Amino acid sequence: MLVNAVLAAIVWLIWAKVWGWGYFTRLEEHWPVALTMVFGSLVGGGTSEGGGAIAFPVMTKVLTVPPDQARIFTFAIQSIGMTAASLSILLCRVPIERRVVLYGSAAGMLGVVLSVTMIAPHVPLKLVRVLFTMLLVALAVALLVQLRQRGYRRNFVVPIWTSRERNLVLGAGFAGGLLSGVAGVGENCVMFLLLVLLFRVSEKVATPTTVVMMTLVSIAAFLTHVFVVRDFTGFVVDYWVTAAPVVAVGAPLGAWICTRLTPLTIRGVLFVLIFAELVSTLLLVPFTPALAVGSVAVLVLFTIVCLVLIRQDTYARPGPDGFGDATWADVGAGPAGRSAGPKAEAPTREDLQDVG
């Protein structure tokens, strides 16, 4: 909490220095955006969905912000909030899969830059929003099915790391970057799917890992909009100025809350958010017959892919009790890839509870 308070204070001091009392004028005018990001920042810092999963639909459907401008705002605000959350994660030594962050982020940053400059301007955003929703629903179905699996422990790290695993992470990172460039979010969801369903990494590790990854991807996308596309202008800047001090508190707080939740609770939160995403898409997106048929087909395809991933047992580590989370002693490495000490297993068994 001290780290989070310091990070928030730094942002507040910078904002006070640059905008002074003029900030409160913007806040009075654009308070609905700030209120939206209270919830969006908690979701962005504490789950694998990203703050844009809340900000984008609210801004486009409730606040009537043009979709392309809402997407720019999503990247801009995530570059502040998720950076604060990632710094909190790193400074507090929350376990992450550093190899996945390294390779996945590099591929994701490349993908999002290409997407922002070459793909996003030509893709209808309602189509992208529906595809993103179907991906989340398929993930929810797979997570429900995986809850019934027993006989293995959740991993702290990817237990096998060869060129195959590296290439899978690179591919997922690049695909997530392409999706993020047109939807504002997606990198974290795609990598969460790979980590949890295939590599059997615990949600307690997968979630902060994807938060750090999405931070780097959001910064790359934001800088591309500012210096290459040059469309970070007008009221989007005012929205960003208004909401940044809010997310500087909410995102690190969300990351801290995530460390206090069990894997099963994290899944429950994801199920609620995915259900809300599905309902909002069904109610707010105008479906044509072709779009409805395509959405069902995509949902079936994504679900099949997710179910195929969870049926792979290459990375499922057996445990003496038949289920549960792997410990640092099991994988022989600590959060930074170093050998864990003799005390590593005790807190692990307390913190990481069985998802079944």
Side-chain angles (χ1 to χ4, degrees):
M1 295 299 291
L2 177 61
V3 170
N4 294 346
V6 171
L7 292 173
I10 292 173
V11 175
W12 293 345
L13 289 174
I14 294 175
W15 252 239
K17 178 66 175 178
V18 176
W19 285 280
W21 291 105
Y23 169 78
F24 293 99
T25 302
R26 288 185 169 91
L27 180 61
E28 181 180 4
E29 183 177 357
H30 305 299
W31 65 265
V33 177
L35 180 62
T36 298
M37 291 316 303
V38 170
F39 302 99
S41 60
L42 289 172
V43 171
T47 74
S48 62
E49 282 205 61
I54 301 295
F56 189 89
V58 172
M59 294 187 70
T60 55
K61 300 304 181 182
V62 179
L63 304 180
T64 64
V65 176
D68 56 337
Q69 299 299 303
R71 180 173 55 200
I72 298 170
F73 170 79
T74 295
F75 289 130
I77 204 63
Q78 286 181 165
S79 69
I80 298 293
M82 299 192 78
T83 296
S86 294
L87 289 174
S88 177
I89 288 169
L90 296 175
L91 291 173
C92 296
R93 300 183 181 276
V94 176
I96 61 174
E97 229 301 357
R98 295 174 182 265
R99 296 168 299 186
V100 173
V101 171
L102 175 63
Y103 291 102
S105 298
M109 293 168 70
L110 175 61
V112 79
V113 170
L114 293 176
S115 183
V116 166
T117 55
M118 302 176 61
I119 300 176
H122 309 290
V123 178
L125 284 179
K126 70 176 182 179
L127 173 62
V128 175
R129 198 69 207 173
V130 169
L131 294 179
F132 178 69
T133 300
M134 296 304 106
L135 173 63
L136 290 180
V137 173
L139 173 62
V141 172
L143 290 175
L144 284 172
V145 173
Q146 196 181 54
L147 284 176
R148 301 176 59 87
Q149 291 185 324
R150 299 276 182 167
Y152 70 91
R153 291 185 172 191
R154 311 297 290 170
N155 299 308
F156 266 118
V157 296
V158 179
I160 303 172
W161 188 264
T162 65
S163 59
R164 177 179 183 270
E165 287 71 34
R166 185 182 65 248
N167 291 335
L168 285 172
V169 170
L170 287 171
F174 185 75
L178 293 178
L179 178 59
S180 297
V182 294
V185 288
E187 173 74 22
N188 39 2
C189 296
V190 173
M191 194 58 67
F192 184 86
L193 183 150
L194 181 69
L195 287 174
V196 174
L197 299 187
L198 179 61
F199 293 148
R200 303 298 204 274
V201 174
S202 172
E203 290 85 342
K204 297 273 285 188
V205 176
T207 298
T209 298
T210 60
V211 168
V212 175
M213 288 183 56
M214 193 62 205
T215 299
L216 298 174
V217 171
S218 295
I219 292 174
F222 178 46
L223 293 178
T224 302
H225 277 290
V226 172
F227 297 109
V228 179
V229 185
R230 297 180 182 277
D231 54 358
F232 181 61
T233 57
F235 65 89
V236 177
V237 178
D238 290 333
Y239 287 172
W240 179 67
V241 173
T242 302
V246 175
V247 301
V249 177
L253 181 60
W256 177 81
I257 292 174
C258 179
T259 66
R260 296 300 187 268
L261 301 178
T262 67
L264 183 59
T265 304
I266 294 174
R267 289 198 180 202
V269 172
L270 283 177
F271 290 147
V272 172
L273 293 174
I274 291 172
F275 178 75
E277 170 75 15
L278 175 62
V279 171
S280 66
T281 297
L282 293 177
L283 293 179
L284 301 177
V285 174
F287 278 84
T288 63
L291 182 59
V293 172
S295 299
V296 173
V298 170
L299 175 59
V300 172
L301 176 61
F302 283 163
T303 302
I304 291 174
V305 171
C306 290
L307 294 178
V308 168
L309 290 178
I310 67 175
R311 290 181 63 87
Q312 306 299 313
D313 59 0
T314 303
Y315 307 96
R317 302 179 64 84
D321 55 358
F323 57 90
D325 289 291
T327 66
W328 289 121
D330 293 327
V331 298
R338 297 184 297 271
S339 176
K343 296 182 180 179
E345 187 169 353
T348 297
R349 291 176 185 252
E350 177 184 352
D351 294 338
L352 292 183
Q353 300 178 21
D354 172 51
V355 299

